[in-house]
Amino acid sequence: MNAPANPGSPRPAQSLDSRFVVPGMRCAACIARIERGLLDLDGVEAARVNLSAKRVAIRHNPEVDSEFLLGALGRIGFEAQVVDLGSVSKDDGESRMLLRALAVAGFGMMNIMLLSVSVWSGAGGVTRELFHWVSALIALPVVAYAGRPFFASAVAAMRHRRTNMDVPISIGVLLATALSVHETVIGGEHAYFDSAVMLLFFLLAGRALDATMRDRTRAGIGALLSRMGKSARVLAEDGSTRTLAAEDLEKGMVMLVAAGEALAADGVVQDGRSAVDNSMLTGESAPQSVREGDTVHAGSINLGDPIHVRVVAASSDTAIAGIARMMDEAGQSRSRYVRVADRASRLYAPAVHTLALLAFAGWMIAGAGWHQSLVIAIAVLIITCPCALGLAVPAAQVVASGALVRRGLLVKDGSALERLAEVDTALFDKTGTLTLGEPVAAIDHLTPEQKAIGLALAQSSRHPLSRGIATAVEATGIRPASLKAVAEVPGLGVSGMLGEVPVSLTRGREDRAGLASILRIGSESVEITFTDPVREDATPTLDALRAMGVRSRIVSGDRDAAVEALAAQLGLVGEGEKRPESKLALLEALKADGHRLLMVGDGINDGPAMAAAHASIAPGTASDVSQQAADAVFLGSSLMPVAAAIAIARRTMRIVRQNFGFAIGYNVLAVPLAISGLVTPLIAAIAMSVSSLVVVGNSLRLAKTGSEP
Amino acid sequence: MNILAFLIPVALLLGGAGLALFFWAMRDGQFEDLEGAANRILIDEEVEREGSDGVEKETGR
């Protein structure tokens, strides 16, 4: 995103640019670790982190491939994904455009005001005319440039025979500018360039706030498909292999999947035994062992030995592509949601037009002449300027989202707050959402020596269970024992030698009770069990939700027994063994009963349900797909941000309603004055600014909610 | 009043210069990563020196 990525700049031909998404980076230390760690590698010329977009841009030699860089990032401690350059280049053009327009309008406003104030305070004759001409010279290009967002939207609306807020704005601005030019040419007393440009400035401020809000956490990548393997090595009949892109794979081909590689298509294991990481499909972090005849899905990662997989479904037929389609279809219903501001403008725009037209007609009938009638009509259009209305929603939402960020929750889209305020039922996924999704080892029954050996073995593996053991032992302050000949047999375990004694850490019995590993030291062996702990504040969060009238239940893809145990512990209704389709079906059934649903989940299997729900929240540890589908993402191990989000969203909507009240009240006062022809440009300018400031000030009250418990 | 013929262009020029600077800063990507910029000042001196080497090379600045 940063300057280094400028594709137009000349550079030595031998360097390549790669970009990676690193969702885990949060702080200055992460930036330093990633940039420094990457620069220490041979072949890496430059690395630059963009913290807002959670990306890192790396310039490197062609010998260094992205697999190596991914591995290096992993060793530094960050999980990363490759982003293809094509999807990066289309960035947030809209908010940049609005910022530019805002800057131009601000420039025009300041200079024209300077001249206008001189005219108001009594400059006359030639000076006044000169000032009007200079104003015109500034205002015309400024209006042409800064007004584009409104004109374009107004034209689009008119073409579809609708009106929106931009239609009266455009008419007001264009009429005011045209009349001012006319006044200037005939040497008249008043010009309204200042009003026109100021109107644009305040409205653009609202729009820019709105766009900032939407861009804030949008990680514009096609996350779902980027997680799938991009290519596969295909075994030909003569034993040779060739690499094919994922979309060129066909049913019946045999893929050779190396350890650590992501599958590019759905298939059946034909040869070999291994363990695959299905976490992106099911949310289950424990690897699943597979052997001949087992089905494996695109997107899962082969953790163990190389396997041969016969393709049964490729590219758009894969399970993951099916989920993507479901998400797409489910998301349609949400995009039909009408935002508060749009609903307001639907009522507001026709009313303003009618008023202005009536004022014009009335004064014409009263015999005021077309010039004065037009001035009054423009005054009506401008003083009813939806400045305050335009700011009412975005100002409140930006402040509220700031308050939520301090509580550890990133809101992606302003309308998400509106929808969050309306929910009455919350559906929680189990693993990774109500629980932390990281296996924690129970090590209290181990002797310090066993712990030290276990740590030494666990440290040399990236298996989730090993990491669970390592974390638990490290927390007790025990140092790893020094082992020799430590080797990992993928899918089986880690083994090594403590002096003359063979030691190993292997997979435990596959029983229903849960995950387990076995630590063997010589002939003695000890079992280490794992639990997936419930988030610490799950109970208070659910209580807080209940107090707000939001009922919660669990829907999970996990085994029924595990879900029921957790449901009983938390006092909720729970349903397990739900596939993505059945989650979606349950959601639709509840929706049909008139419930507004909040979906909280982390797996790709939650994606369709999250896209279909009225609002959705994902934990920061969730797969990219759920983060993409979610309206908001909460960071850290606390679940409380979910309750805070609903509480603050509801408060935001109260403030928005007050803002609308202010804005409408202001119009009720100002419109009669404008219609009766009493409004001078000075009064219009002051009234406009004051109403906008009141709305912004009122919205700032939301900032305080961030510091309350 | 003649002073106006001088002051108005000066005011416009200064304003225009500010505007041009803003446009340049935006095109240059100064607003791309506000969060990162806020955090980078917290990076240690030694780390920053090594890190900024990369930046220099990369951006040509």
Side-chain angles (χ1 to χ4, degrees), chain A residues 654-687:
Chain A
R654 272 204 296 282
I655 295 274
V656 165
R657 278 194 289 274
Q658 287 167 11
N659 283 349
F660 275 124
F662 279 129
I664 290 165
Y666 150 79
N667 281 327
V668 168
L669 286 177
V671 167
L673 292 177
I675 291 182
S676 54
L678 291 173
V679 176
T680 65
L682 184 63
I683 293 178
I686 291 174

Side-chain angles (χ1 to χ4, degrees), chain A residues 35 49-52 96, chain B residues 26 32-33 39-40 55 58:
Chain A
E35 289 188 350
V49 166
N50 181 336
L51 188 64
S52 316
R96 284 162 154 263
Chain B
M26 199 147 83
E32 293 289 348
D33 186 16
N39 272 290
R40 271 172 203 279
V55 180
E58 243 179 340

Side-chain angles (χ1 to χ4, degrees), chain A residues 233-249:
Chain A
R233 274 186 300 152
V234 174
L235 204 61
E237 274 171 23
D238 60 358
S240 65
T241 61
R242 62 200 163 114
T243 304
L244 278 183
E247 57 267 26
D248 295 333
L249 290 171

Side-chain angles (χ1 to χ4, degrees), chain A residues 516-539:
Chain A
S517 287
I518 294 181
L519 176 65
R520 284 198 180 78
I521 303 170
S523 57
E524 70 176 297
S525 73
V526 57
E527 191 182 45
I528 302 171
T529 56
F530 295 86
T531 50
D532 187 4
V534 177
R535 284 183 194 263
E536 244 172 50
D537 56 357
T539 308

Side-chain angles (χ1 to χ4, degrees), chain A residues 1-4 28 31-32 35-36 39 45-52 57 59 96 99-100 103-104 107 111 115 127 131 134 138 145, chain B residues 1 4 8 11-12 15-16 19 22-23 26-29 32-36 39-40 42-43 46-47 50-51 54-55 57-59 61:
Chain A
M1 291 289 284
N2 259 306
I31 301 180
E35 289 188 350
R36 190 164 60 151
L39 282 169
E45 292 169 25
R48 175 84 182 177
V49 166
N50 181 336
L51 188 64
S52 316
R59 171 112 46 90
R96 284 162 154 263
L99 267 181
R100 278 200 204 101
V104 170
F107 161 80
N111 285 291
L115 299 166
T127 319
F131 281 7
V134 176
I138 304 168
Y145 186 86
Chain B
M1 273 302 159
L4 283 177
I8 291 176
L12 287 178
L19 197 63
F22 175 76
F23 270 49
M26 199 147 83
R27 191 161 29 238
D28 199 50
E32 293 289 348
D33 186 16
L34 296 174
E35 220 177 301
N39 272 290
R40 271 172 203 279
L42 300 174
I43 298 177
E46 178 214 18
V47 176
E50 284 183 47
V55 180
K57 261 190 267 174
E58 243 179 340
T59 60
R61 256 181 271 142

Side-chain angles (χ1 to χ4, degrees), chain A residues 368-385:
Chain A
W370 73 268
H371 182 257
Q372 202 191 343
S373 305
L374 192 59
V375 170
I376 289 169
I378 291 171
V380 171
L381 275 178
I382 287 187
I383 202 139
T384 56
C385 139

